[in-house]
Amino acid sequence: MVLKVFFPSCCSSAESGILIGRWISEQNSAVILAVVHFPFIPAQVKQYLSEVQQVTKVSVSVLGSWSNSKEKKEESLSEFLEDLGTIFSHEPWIQISKEGDSKFWSCSTLQKHSNHPKEEEIILVYYDQRKVMLSHLHPPLDTATSTENKADDASKLAAIFDTVAKSRMLFMVDRYDDGPIKLTHWQSDGVEASIIVELLKQASVPACMLLTFLLSLISGICKSRVLKFWPLSFLWSKLSTCEQLGHRLQHLQVISSNKKAQNQTQLMRKANIFVSLLIDVALGMLLMSWLYRKNRIGHLADTLIPVADHVAEELQDLLQWLMGAPAGLKMNRALDQVLGRFFLYHIHLWISYIHLMSPFIEMILWYVGLSACLGLTMALCILSDIIALLTFHIYCFYVYGARLYCLKIYGLSSLWRLFRGKKWNVLRQRVDSCSYDLDQLFIGTLLFTILLFLLPTTALYYLVFTLLRLLVVIVQGLIRLLVDLIDSLPLYSIILRLCRSYRLAAGVKFRVLEQQDGKPLRLLMQINPLSYGSVVQTYRLPTYSCYPKDSWTSLCKKLFLGELIYPWKHKGEKQD
Amino acid sequence: AMEERPYRSASGAPIALRCRQHSASCRELAVRCPRLQLRSLSAVTSAVWLAAYGLFAVSENSMVLSAAIFTTLIGLIIYLHFVKVDQESLLVIGSLGIQVTSSYASGKESTTFIEMSQVKDVVINEAIHMQKVIYYLCILLQDPGDPQGVSEVVPLFQSSKPRLDCLIEVYKSCQEILEQRKTAPQSS
């Protein structure tokens, strides 16, 4: 069978010594982690390896010998290296030797205990130790749901990535340490660390504690009894700003928790939330600085009242049109006049209310605009809520029209059953036949006719106000989609994929290097990074998503029957 | 050892198969797709610019011209980087796996590596493509739960679509290496 030797490219210029690493027998491959140089005492090497094995839980052992001779090959050295094979008994004993600056190394194995020694082919695979150690291998998305027998079917490459990642402790010893063992690996020229990162780590502990304390205060206030009374709690549940605020507070709690992240997913999640919050607040500050410059708030407040007036006037025109002969349809005059005047009076009330508020608008807007410093998402939520408040009269009209229409439809269907001599049995939840008296039939038929002929008028009012309401709902929905997008985008993962693409690995790729006859096959193993689509899909932050929960058919059915529609229902909210 | 032979793709365009043996258990098979024709490129560019000139003559707005230039450039970049495949290659390393690479005209390479334990077999299949029936080579992936089952089919050489004679060459090369894993003794 073919023997695969994974050799770190940083050890290519190391001095002669012995190779230590992990032997994976079921794949017939040897993962070399470091080179131990002469002079060494075998007993100390064995002790060191058993210590490493205890800490890292990786079965590190001596795998073979490495000879790097600058001049001609020395015979005595090769015999010495073979003798080492008897001290560190490992089956098979791998011998790699490099002459001068040649790229082509000779590699051979020594099998002492096998009955039929055969020449097996050797493949030499170079890998970048630092990148493989830092990288995280992502399983394919459809097999991410693990099954019990995954352990032995586990990807062969995952074993290699695992080995290098867990042997971090081995790489902490550099050549300036005064120990009995001299190692060469990717960090043997000196362990690197960054002062800024260390300072941040030290500063983060008290910062987290402060943040946790503040958050507990805020959540204590939020949960207090005062805010739970009925009008206030109803208001909080309807405003999307409060939802977004609660969502962000939850995020802050996740970041400021004292527990260290257990695995890769949690770490990425924390980092994503942190970066997302940072960018959000930065964008919000930018928006705020733009808004407060050149008195834009004043301009906004000045244009708000005329816009509201304009909308009210347009509605009045619409109602006048409906009260006449809209689109050539003939309405029932009396009902038309009643409904039209009723809605006109509402608009009149609304305009008076707006005019009452007009001196305070600028001040309110000024203070509300300050909340943009909490983040761009908050500003967008506030915008959505302002739109909802300004179009409140459209919502009221929609509710009136829908209820009227719904009542009419139910009345019509019930009287239609009476027309045919049937009745709805509430107990059995089905339609039963029923014998009515003559006067019941007479009144029923009269009422049915009245309702039927009044249907076009009500239906038209209902149609018009439903369309207006749907328009407002679509605008609000778009803003919510934007907020969701900003909330759930894993920015840290995307930036990581852009700058340090080896950290997120979908797999590996091999490149065939120059070959020479008689020497083992040389391959270079590089990391194949995850595609951007998979990055976003794997690391998406969960949101309180507001996708329409009704399918198109049920929505149309509700519209036809006149039931009230709330397409953007939040998760966990009770049905109205 | 390296050799290159000319073949034809399913639509009649000339392609070339390059077969290279690196070692006893490692082989690289690369199919080079037909190059980007200068004729079609200039035809498309002239058509877009003539349309832009026509619009400019009607609307007197110079933005149309700059928009047309912009669109042509962006469209060309997107085409070269995401659509036009220059070469598709298959690297079979016995006991490690099979690597499928597509190189695009802009130099981008997209690689997938499939480990040998996941590969069940490499077969030639038939498919209905537009109005023709064509042959294509594909890798069958093993279903981890079911030893007889196939979990996925990975089609190869999708841009170049070589004809059956080329596919038979590739198939024979692959099978020679895949057979080695059946005859190799199990390691203890």
Side-chain angles (χ1 to χ4, degrees):
Chain A
M1 200 152 155
V2 181
L3 174 73
K4 301 176 276 271
V5 177
F6 290 87
F7 197 84
S9 25
C10 50
C11 296
S12 303
S13 49
E15 305 281 327
S16 309
I18 52 170
L19 301 164
I20 55 172
R22 181 178 168 207
W23 169 252
I24 308 176
S25 55
E26 52 271 7
Q27 300 173 32
N28 214 30
S29 45
V31 182
I32 296 178
L33 294 169
V35 176
V36 178
H37 297 298
F38 307 118
F40 57 82
I41 304 175
Q44 281 182 337
V45 171
K46 285 188 188 169
Q47 191 195 10
Y48 178 68
L49 286 181
S50 64
E51 278 171 17
V52 168
Q53 200 163 335
Q54 257 185 341
V55 176
T56 61
K57 313 269 185 301
V58 173
S59 55
V60 185
S61 56
V62 179
L63 295 176
S65 69
W66 158 252
S67 85
N68 184 0
S69 50
K70 305 287 189 299
E71 300 87 29
K72 283 194 341 266
K73 198 168 147 171
E74 295 169 33
E75 289 300 322
S76 55
L77 190 63
S78 60
E79 269 196 35
F80 172 59
L81 291 171
E82 270 188 36
D83 289 336
L84 278 176
T86 52
I87 307 176
F88 301 103
S89 58
H90 180 81
E91 186 75 10
W93 182 254
I94 302 170
Q95 289 170 304
I96 310 182
S97 72
K98 173 179 171 186
E99 275 133 44
D101 277 331
S102 163
K103 280 186 292 198
F104 306 107
W105 308 347
S106 42
C107 196
S108 58
T109 56
L110 223 58
Q111 306 232 17
K112 288 185 284 287
H113 301 292
S114 74
N115 297 332
H116 37 95
K118 58 201 175 310
E119 269 305 308
E120 55 181 4
E121 196 190 336
I122 302 179
I123 299 183
L124 201 56
V125 182
Y126 297 102
Y127 71 97
D128 188 328
Q129 207 166 42
R130 177 173 161 261
K131 289 191 178 168
V132 170
M133 187 185 86
L134 290 173
S135 152
H136 176 76
L137 194 61
H138 295 82
L141 286 162
D142 47 348
T143 58
T145 54
S146 58
T147 53
E148 287 83 47
N149 56 351
K150 269 293 174 190
D152 39 352
D153 279 346
S155 159
K156 309 290 198 281
L157 293 166
I160 297 167
F161 275 71
D162 226 19
T163 309
V164 182
K166 284 196 188 142
S167 320
R168 226 175 251 256
M169 197 210 116
L170 192 66
F171 305 134
M172 285 299 158
V173 176
D174 61 27
R175 69 146 79 119
Y176 304 110
D177 280 342
D178 285 329
I181 321 263
K182 293 266 178 283
L183 289 175
T184 301
H185 45 74
W186 70 273
Q187 248 186 170
S188 54
D189 278 338
V191 175
E192 291 176 359
S194 159
I195 296 184
I196 299 180
V197 170
E198 296 298 319
L199 279 176
L200 280 176
K201 277 192 199 164
Q202 295 296 321
S204 68
V205 171
C208 275
M209 283 175 48
L210 184 67
L211 204 57
T212 323
F213 175 65
L214 283 172
L215 280 175
S216 57
L217 269 181
I218 295 178
S219 51
I221 296 175
C222 288
K223 288 195 178 53
S224 72
R225 298 298 218 106
V226 173
L227 297 176
K228 285 266 189 247
F229 288 137
W230 180 79
L232 282 176
S233 67
F234 179 73
L235 205 62
W236 298 149
S237 68
K238 286 296 174 206
L239 286 177
S240 62
T241 319
C242 303
E243 295 239 8
Q244 178 67 16
L245 201 62
H247 193 60
R248 280 298 191 212
L249 280 177
Q250 218 180 5
H251 277 171
L252 276 175
Q253 268 178 341
V254 169
I255 302 182
S256 65
S257 74
N258 284 335
K259 286 196 321 239
K260 222 169 136 52
Q262 303 296 347
N263 57 8
Q264 167 84 355
T265 347
Q266 281 184 6
L267 182 69
M268 293 293 274
R269 196 181 230 149
K270 272 188 160 184
N272 278 325
I273 292 179
F274 184 65
V275 172
S276 166
L277 265 174
L278 220 63
I279 301 274
D280 200 15
V281 170
L283 283 174
M285 298 280 203
L286 216 69
L287 181 70
M288 218 172 73
S289 72
W290 177 81
L291 265 182
Y292 283 89
R293 208 176 291 178
K294 294 190 202 162
N295 198 20
R296 287 219 174 84
I297 293 270
H299 292 322
L300 206 67
D302 285 341
T303 53
L304 206 66
I305 303 291
V307 161
D309 271 346
H310 180 71
V311 167
E313 265 175 39
E314 291 288 320
L315 270 178
Q316 275 175 336
D317 287 344
L318 183 72
L319 282 168
Q320 294 291 352
W321 180 68
L322 281 177
M323 273 165 48
L329 295 169
K330 194 159 186 301
M331 302 269 105
N332 179 298
R333 190 137 208 89
L335 185 62
D336 218 358
Q337 295 287 324
V338 162
L339 286 175
R341 292 226 184 92
F342 178 64
F343 290 134
L344 276 173
Y345 181 61
H346 264 84
I347 293 178
H348 173 76
L349 278 179
W350 182 255
I351 291 187
S352 333
Y353 167 68
I354 295 270
H355 281 281
L356 204 71
M357 289 267 294
S358 57
F360 306 112
I361 288 281
E362 181 166 347
M363 199 169 64
I364 293 178
L365 267 184
W366 204 90
Y367 284 113
V368 159
L370 277 183
S371 67
C373 73
L374 289 174
L376 185 66
T377 45
M378 293 295 287
L380 284 173
C381 281
I382 288 181
L383 178 70
S384 161
D385 285 335
I386 288 179
I387 290 179
L389 279 177
L390 282 180
T391 56
F392 189 63
H393 47 339
I394 295 183
Y395 174 66
C396 282
F397 292 170
Y398 164 70
V399 171
Y400 298 150
R403 289 271 187 243
L404 209 61
Y405 178 75
C406 181
L407 222 65
K408 184 158 285 204
I409 291 284
Y410 274 114
L412 270 176
S413 56
S414 164
L415 288 172
W416 172 248
R417 273 182 235 122
L418 175 135
F419 212 52
R420 290 155 46 220
K422 297 206 189 292
K423 192 174 85 151
W424 175 253
N425 190 339
V426 184
L427 208 61
R428 302 282 178 115
Q429 294 287 316
R430 63 167 189 214
V431 179
D432 277 343
S433 63
C434 171
S435 61
Y436 291 99
D437 294 337
L438 193 64
D439 45 357
Q440 281 175 329
L441 277 175
F442 183 58
I443 305 261
T445 315
L446 264 182
L447 282 173
F448 177 75
T449 325
I450 294 174
L451 283 178
L452 187 67
F453 288 138
L454 287 180
L455 187 64
T457 318
T458 338
L460 195 67
Y461 273 91
Y462 172 64
L463 185 73
V464 166
F465 291 131
T466 310
L467 285 175
L468 283 174
R469 169 87 186 133
L470 280 178
L471 193 68
V472 172
V473 158
I474 286 173
V475 167
Q476 275 192 301
L478 282 174
I479 297 182
R480 287 288 286 282
L481 270 174
L482 192 60
V483 168
D484 252 0
L485 184 71
I486 300 179
D487 260 347
S488 68
L489 199 65
L491 275 171
Y492 175 71
S493 306
I494 291 178
I495 295 174
L496 200 66
R497 167 67 182 85
L498 205 62
C499 304
R500 303 258 185 276
S501 54
Y502 56 83
R503 294 275 295 262
L504 302 166
V508 296
K509 51 187 178 196
F510 290 94
R511 211 177 77 201
V512 183
L513 302 171
E514 270 180 63
Q515 305 299 325
Q516 203 185 57
D517 280 333
K519 303 282 189 207
L521 178 67
R522 295 165 75 232
L523 297 172
L524 176 67
M525 182 171 94
Q526 291 167 316
I527 298 194
N528 202 12
L530 215 52
S531 66
Y532 285 100
S534 332
V535 168
V536 171
Q537 211 174 344
T538 321
Y539 291 112
R540 265 190 66 183
L541 297 167
T543 57
Y544 56 105
S545 67
C546 61
Y547 300 119
K549 59 174 187 40
D550 289 320
S551 65
W552 285 110
T553 37
S554 70
L555 197 71
C556 288
K557 185 163 157 270
K558 279 195 184 170
L559 280 175
F560 185 68
L561 287 180
E563 284 174 26
L564 293 174
I565 48 168
Y566 294 98
W568 313 113
K569 258 287 190 267
H570 312 313
K571 267 195 242 178
E573 221 183 69
K574 293 199 291 286
Q575 297 276 344
D576 205 352
Chain B
M2 179 159 130
E3 38 188 63
E4 182 159 340
R5 284 193 286 261
Y7 287 97
R8 291 221 163 246
S9 80
S11 51
I15 57 175
L17 170 70
R18 198 181 66 198
C19 185
R20 201 164 160 183
Q21 172 129 4
H22 296 289
S23 89
S25 67
C26 176
R27 255 183 224 171
E28 185 174 356
L29 301 142
V31 173
R32 211 181 54 211
C33 302
R35 301 273 187 188
L36 181 65
Q37 299 279 358
L38 198 59
R39 263 191 312 214
S40 46
L41 182 65
S42 15
V44 170
T45 316
S46 335
V48 170
W49 284 1
L50 275 174
Y53 267 117
L55 270 177
F56 173 64
V58 164
S59 70
E60 302 286 331
N61 189 359
S62 65
M63 285 292 286
V64 174
L65 293 175
S66 28
I69 295 177
F70 200 59
T71 319
T72 321
L73 273 176
I74 298 283
L76 188 66
I77 290 177
I78 290 181
Y79 179 68
L80 290 178
H81 197 70
F82 292 106
V83 177
K84 181 86 188 76
V85 173
D86 204 23
Q87 177 176 287
E88 292 170 307
S89 69
L90 196 67
L91 178 69
V92 186
I93 310 171
S95 81
L96 260 182
I98 303 182
Q99 174 165 297
V100 182
T101 316
S102 298
S103 335
Y104 291 85
S106 64
K108 175 174 102 157
E109 284 192 5
S110 115
T111 321
T112 323
F113 180 73
I114 303 168
E115 295 181 46
M116 212 36 121
S117 58
Q118 286 179 349
V119 173
K120 187 158 187 279
D121 205 356
V122 173
V123 295
I124 298 183
N125 231 348
E126 286 175 319
I128 300 177
H129 173 78
M130 304 281 208
Q131 78 284 13
K132 295 194 277 239
V133 174
I134 58 167
Y135 295 98
Y136 68 99
L137 192 72
C138 58
I139 305 178
L140 300 176
L141 296 188
Q142 184 92 22
D143 191 3
D146 177 17
Q148 301 297 325
V150 171
S151 73
E152 205 182 323
V153 171
V154 179
L156 305 172
F157 302 124
Q158 286 185 286
S159 290
S160 44
K161 296 195 195 60
R163 288 195 179 162
L164 192 59
D165 44 4
C166 178
L167 288 179
I168 289 179
E169 285 295 321
V170 178
Y171 174 77
K172 281 189 192 159
S173 279
C174 286
Q175 287 296 337
E176 276 171 23
I177 300 191
L178 286 179
E179 301 233 308
Q180 290 176 2
R181 66 170 177 169
K182 290 190 197 108
T183 55
Q186 294 293 330
S187 59
S188 56

